[in-house]
Amino acid sequence: MRSNILLVFLVAVLCFAYCIEAKETHRKHKKAHERKQKKHMQEVEQKLEQLLELEEEIESEMANELDDPEAEATEQRLAEEEEAELAEQLEAYEQLYGEIPENPCLKMYCGAGRECIISEDGEGLCQCVEECGGDLDERRKVCSNKNTTWTNDCELYRQRCMCAEGLPGCVNEDNEHLHIDYYGHCQESMECEAEELNDFPRRMREWLFNIMRDMADRELLSDHYTRMEKEAETDQNKKWSNAVVWKWCELDGHPRDSSVSRHELFPLRAPLFTLEHCINEFLDSCDPDNDHNISMKEWASCLKLSEENIDDLEDLCEDIRDEE
């Protein structure tokens, strides 16, 4: 009786081990298939680029020689021969690889730390970057909001993605909200005094307006932003508000969701870090509910604009989006 029970137990253990091994084998095969498919798509795109470049060269050479009567006949013959050769190459390529499929990843936006892969069903899927490469250039190092130095921005965003997805590579759950503070090794910053922090919104408003005016002078703004800048030059009440709206709308990148994430603040924070040691404390004050997103109301409030105009500012930003 005991031997029968032991036999049944051993069989169950073997079956369980076999299932685990089969599942792992299937996963490896799936990964290998995805890598093979990705490599195939890269080869397809590379071959197409070469063929298109060849066609452009033919057209360019023909255009350059059309003014020469003596060379026209020769060029026509050579062009026909090269076109025939190109047609043969295309036919041979299609016979080898079949009809060239549309790459679904061309229409996908995956965001920092993610890359698009083509699934077995031929659909584009965003996943965490598998490898960033061994870039050891000191100039590529970045400092995070956790005061940790990373080899490059790819490694930092890859870590954030893995933590957001709950993958084994996540070293700390808090890294789900990881973002870049500035480029270079992390440094010790000066303490931000309360008086300095209280005066920071004024300095920020002044800086934003000066940047907006400089970009308008160099014709780097859109027509709508340029009109806002000119309006601010003549209307003192709009001097600060228009600059505040412009910068907030500019920071609200893809997807345009009417909020600025801590990650999207990087273009503002990075250049100011070495000049304004209160920049981190100020930006923290713009996110009082600590949801890692800054709304227009929060942005206007921390820059100490009049609350009665906040709704109008949001409407203005929506107008800008519609026009763009």
Side-chain angles (χ1 to χ4, degrees):
M1 183 65 178
R2 290 183 178 178
S3 61
N4 289 339
I5 294 174
L6 180 60
L7 179 60
V8 170
F9 176 74
L10 290 175
V11 170
V13 170
L14 290 174
C15 288
F16 179 74
Y18 175 77
C19 291
I20 294 298
E21 182 179 0
K23 184 176 181 181
E24 180 65 18
T25 302
H26 175 73
R27 187 187 67 81
K28 291 181 178 178
H29 286 171
K30 183 178 179 181
K31 282 287 187 181
H33 176 75
E34 290 176 351
R35 288 194 295 269
K36 182 178 179 181
Q37 191 174 26
K38 184 177 181 181
K39 182 179 180 182
H40 171 68
M41 288 301 300
Q42 291 174 344
E43 292 175 351
V44 169
E45 292 175 356
Q46 185 178 10
K47 187 64 177 179
L48 277 177
E49 289 177 0
Q50 293 174 353
L51 294 175
L52 290 173
E53 288 176 1
L54 176 59
E55 187 175 4
E56 289 176 358
E57 289 177 3
I58 294 173
E59 293 177 353
S60 177
E61 291 175 0
M62 288 180 63
N64 292 334
E65 298 296 337
L66 282 178
D67 294 336
D68 187 351
E70 298 179 358
E72 185 173 351
T74 303
E75 289 298 329
Q76 180 66 27
R77 179 177 56 80
L78 292 175
E80 291 175 354
E81 292 177 356
E82 294 207 12
E83 285 181 0
E85 182 181 354
L86 177 61
E88 291 178 2
Q89 291 178 357
L90 285 170
E91 183 179 356
Y93 184 78
E94 289 179 355
Q95 290 177 354
L96 179 62
Y97 293 102
E99 184 179 357
I100 300 172
E102 182 182 2
N103 186 350
C105 287
L106 296 178
K107 300 179 180 179
M108 295 283 292
Y109 176 82
C110 293
R114 301 174 184 270
E115 60 184 351
C116 180
I117 64 166
I118 301 175
S119 67
E120 294 180 357
D121 298 330
E123 297 180 353
L125 298 175
C126 290
Q127 67 174 22
C128 297
V129 173
E130 290 190 1
E131 293 183 9
C132 289
D135 191 346
L136 301 179
D137 190 336
E138 291 293 318
R139 294 170 296 182
R140 295 291 306 278
K141 293 185 181 297
V142 295
C143 182
S144 75
N145 56 310
K146 306 294 183 181
N147 200 37
T148 53
T149 301
W150 293 80
T151 305
N152 50 50
D153 55 349
C154 176
E155 292 289 356
L156 182 147
Y157 292 134
R158 177 172 178 267
Q159 171 65 195
R160 186 178 69 179
C161 178
M162 289 190 293
C163 292
E165 298 295 334
L167 299 178
C170 175
V171 298
N172 189 320
E173 293 181 357
D174 290 341
N175 287 342
E176 178 181 353
H177 301 295
L178 208 62
H179 57 257
I180 300 176
D181 252 0
Y182 53 91
Y183 282 108
H185 285 276
C186 292
Q187 307 171 15
E188 291 187 11
S189 59
M190 297 173 56
E191 182 179 355
C192 178
E193 302 291 342
E195 184 177 349
E196 294 176 301
L197 186 59
N198 289 335
D199 186 54
F200 196 92
R202 178 194 61 79
R203 299 200 305 275
M204 176 64 77
R205 293 196 307 266
E206 186 75 34
W207 182 73
L208 291 178
F209 176 73
N210 289 334
I211 293 295
M212 188 180 186
R213 180 168 54 188
D214 181 64
M215 292 183 67
D217 291 341
R218 291 188 288 162
E219 299 182 349
L220 298 177
L221 295 179
S222 68
D223 291 342
H224 194 114
Y225 287 122
T226 300
R227 288 196 298 271
M228 287 178 61
E229 193 279 329
K230 298 304 180 184
E231 186 180 46
E233 292 278 7
T234 58
D235 188 341
Q236 188 66 26
N237 293 329
K238 295 184 178 181
K239 180 177 180 179
W240 310 128
S241 60
N242 284 8
V244 168
V245 170
W246 159 69
K247 176 51 67 174
W248 187 87
C249 294
E250 183 184 66
L251 291 172
D252 183 17
H254 185 91
R256 295 207 178 261
D257 53 2
S258 296
S259 67
V260 175
S261 68
R262 293 296 187 94
H263 165 63
E264 290 172 330
L265 285 172
F266 171 70
L268 179 66
R269 181 194 305 106
L272 289 178
F273 179 81
T274 57
L275 303 174
E276 293 280 2
H277 60 274
C278 286
I279 182 65
N280 283 338
E281 286 80 357
F282 167 74
L283 294 177
D284 287 341
S285 71
C286 294
D287 184 22
D289 57 3
N290 199 32
D291 66 349
H292 300 275
N293 288 287
I294 299 175
S295 67
M296 171 59 83
K297 290 185 177 181
E298 291 174 331
W299 180 243
S301 177
C302 73
L303 280 164
K304 297 184 178 179
L305 296 185
S306 174
E307 293 186 3
E308 61 185 21
N309 295 328
I310 290 180
D311 292 335
D312 295 337
L313 297 181
E314 288 184 298
D315 293 339
L316 179 59
C317 193
E318 290 299 324
D319 291 342
I320 293 173
R321 293 162 187 267
D322 293 340
E323 181 168 316
E324 290 181 341

